[in-house]
Amino acid sequence: MRSTTPLTKIIMMANVLVVAVALIGLLVLPSASAPPGAPRQGVAVSGPPPTSSASPSPTPDLPSAELPPPITASAEFARQVKANEAGAVPILMYHRITRKRLASIDRTPAQVRKELERLARDGYVPVTAREFATGRMDIPAGKYPVVLTFDDGHPSHFALEADGTPVKDTAVGIIYQVAVKYPGFRPVATFWVNQHPFGLREEKDQERAVQWLVSRGFEVANHTWSHPHLPSLPKKKIVEQLARVERLLKRLGVPPSETMALPFGAMPRKRSTVQSGKWRDVSYRFKGVFLAGAEPSVSPFVKGHDRRAIQRIQSNGRKGECRKWCSDYWLGWLDKHPGERYTADGDPERISIPDRLRGSIRADQRKKINAY
């Protein structure tokens, strides 16, 4: 992946453009309706009661998110699978999933399904944003990590049928459909939520929803309380926005957020405000802060990785501002440049890379280098 100074400026400009489009799409247009069969706002999510066990009862017949047993990768094995854990990782950004797109950042169920099936066929295995940020992308050797992220906790992301299975055209429903069709496609994703996760108003319904997801390997984390434009707020208001979500998630039984996504991808002037803070008796500290675009992220093991501003890719085609900056373009680019893509070695204790990339690994990770 290219990394010259002029490109960096272009990327930042593209990110600003993505932010502008998101502002228009989310602030001006009305909220899209939930997919057919999804519960209305304030209506209880059907399904099992919340539980802290790994598999709530009754358990729908759904694929597991468990990772394969770890292996020990030798230099020769890493060469055979063409491992490159200094490569680029696509982190895809989704918003509403609607039958009729009302904004450029909306996607239809068919578009999401098509993109996820493409990822599965091409050898990508989903990991959560938390797993990416902490460097625990322990997927099978020779496979490529991809991070599926969904902003705003929209009703189209998650809802359950009366039998406890995900509604077909929600994000979770589509992810499981693809996982059934392609068994190597791990059914996990990250949902960054606001004050009403998945459009639910009653706390008992919110609790049931997030517990269902977290118990199955999905990540539910912080996207601010009311989705404001953070650069427009004073520091104390930014801290309150983040802490209030942490307080809610704690009540719902979710572990403290290790990641957060900036509303509209807009970074406050003082970055440290969104990295850690305390409001009243609630504190937060994130290991990864995510932007809104506009290229694959560098590996968390390399020197250029900035956990305070992690790049994402908007899920979209190649029209308008997406001609070079959205998922269809970048997935094609990575396919044409496989040497630039993160390829796993299957070994959580080693960072396998071609020998020429030794100098790219962060100093605190060099003891793990397995070069070939």
Side-chain angles (χ1 to χ4, degrees):
M1 190 170 58
R2 299 156 292 182
S3 60
T4 62
T5 300
L7 179 59
T8 300
K9 292 180 179 179
I10 293 172
I11 290 167
M12 294 305 294
M13 292 174 64
N15 192 58
V16 170
L17 185 56
V18 170
V19 171
V21 171
L23 278 165
I24 295 170
L26 294 177
L27 292 178
V28 176
L29 292 173
S31 297
S33 59
R40 300 184 301 277
Q41 290 190 358
V43 178
V45 179
S46 302
T51 174
S52 59
S53 66
S55 299
S57 179
T59 303
D61 185 17
L62 297 172
S64 171
E66 288 186 8
L67 287 160
I71 66 169
T72 299
S74 65
E76 182 55 34
F77 178 80
R79 183 193 307 277
Q80 291 175 10
V81 299
K82 299 181 180 179
N84 176 13
E85 297 186 325
V89 178
I91 302 176
L92 303 188
M93 176 183 69
Y94 299 89
H95 287 85
R96 298 176 298 196
I97 303 174
T98 63
R99 284 183 173 177
K100 182 177 181 180
R101 297 173 66 192
L102 301 178
S104 64
I105 57 176
D106 292 340
R107 304 296 275 161
T108 67
Q111 288 172 330
V112 175
R113 191 174 290 107
K114 181 179 179 181
E115 183 160 77
L116 298 193
E117 289 190 356
R118 173 184 182 176
L119 291 167
R121 287 193 302 270
D122 289 349
Y124 285 94
V125 177
V127 299
T128 64
R130 178 179 60 243
E131 290 168 333
F132 170 85
T134 57
R136 303 301 299 181
M137 297 180 285
D138 305 333
I139 62 174
K143 298 295 184 178
Y144 322 117
V146 61
V147 187
L148 309 176
T149 67
F150 295 83
D151 291 16
D152 309 333
H154 192 261
S156 63
H157 296 165
F158 177 63
L160 293 175
E161 300 283 9
D163 64 357
T165 57
V167 172
K168 177 183 176 181
D169 284 343
T170 61
V172 176
I174 295 168
I175 288 169
Y176 275 117
Q177 292 157 32
V178 176
V180 168
K181 187 174 181 179
Y182 299 90
F185 193 77
R186 183 172 173 240
V188 299
T190 293
F191 295 96
W192 281 307
V193 301
N194 308 119
Q195 60 183 298
H196 300 301
F198 312 111
L200 299 168
R201 301 283 174 165
E202 298 295 328
E203 193 165 298
K204 61 182 177 61
D205 298 331
Q206 297 171 353
E207 181 180 12
R208 184 176 295 126
V210 300
Q211 288 283 348
W212 194 101
L213 291 166
V214 171
S215 68
R216 288 167 170 80
F218 292 91
E219 178 184 10
V220 179
N222 201 315
H223 195 42
T224 72
W225 185 253
S226 61
H227 205 280
H229 183 251
L230 295 182
S232 302
L233 298 182
K235 176 181 176 180
K236 63 180 181 180
K237 288 296 184 181
I238 295 174
V239 173
E240 178 183 347
Q241 281 282 326
L242 294 165
R244 291 183 72 181
V245 174
E246 288 305 298
R247 184 173 63 181
L248 170 64
L249 293 177
K250 183 178 181 179
R251 288 202 308 269
L252 301 180
V254 178
S257 300
E258 295 186 68
T259 68
M260 71 86 62
L262 296 164
F264 314 114
M267 180 74 74
R269 181 174 299 178
K270 192 171 183 180
R271 288 187 175 189
S272 61
T273 307
V274 295
Q275 294 161 28
S276 62
K278 184 175 182 179
W279 175 74
R280 296 183 180 177
D281 61 339
V282 183
S283 60
Y284 59 87
R285 183 177 296 275
F286 305 121
K287 295 179 180 177
V289 175
F290 290 73
L291 302 172
E295 67 166 357
S297 173
V298 297
S299 164
F301 305 131
V302 304
K303 293 177 181 177
H305 175 68
D306 184 356
R307 65 182 182 85
R308 304 166 302 173
I310 300 173
Q311 290 280 358
R312 292 192 286 166
I313 306 167
Q314 180 190 140
S315 172
N316 220 319
R318 299 200 190 192
K319 294 182 179 179
E321 77 278 0
C322 281
R323 186 175 64 87
K324 277 195 172 184
W325 302 111
C326 295
S327 59
D328 188 49
Y329 169 81
W330 277 115
L331 292 177
W333 189 92
L334 289 168
D335 187 54
K336 293 177 182 177
H337 301 82
E340 301 291 330
R341 179 168 49 190
Y342 186 113
T343 304
D345 64 357
D347 186 342
E349 303 305 319
R350 290 170 173 77
I351 300 173
S352 294
I353 54 172
D355 191 65
R356 61 183 172 81
L357 297 177
R358 277 182 180 272
S360 68
I361 302 300
R362 295 187 347 235
D364 64 328
Q365 298 290 327
R366 287 177 186 166
K367 290 182 179 180
K368 297 181 179 180
I369 291 177
N370 179 38
Y372 62 90

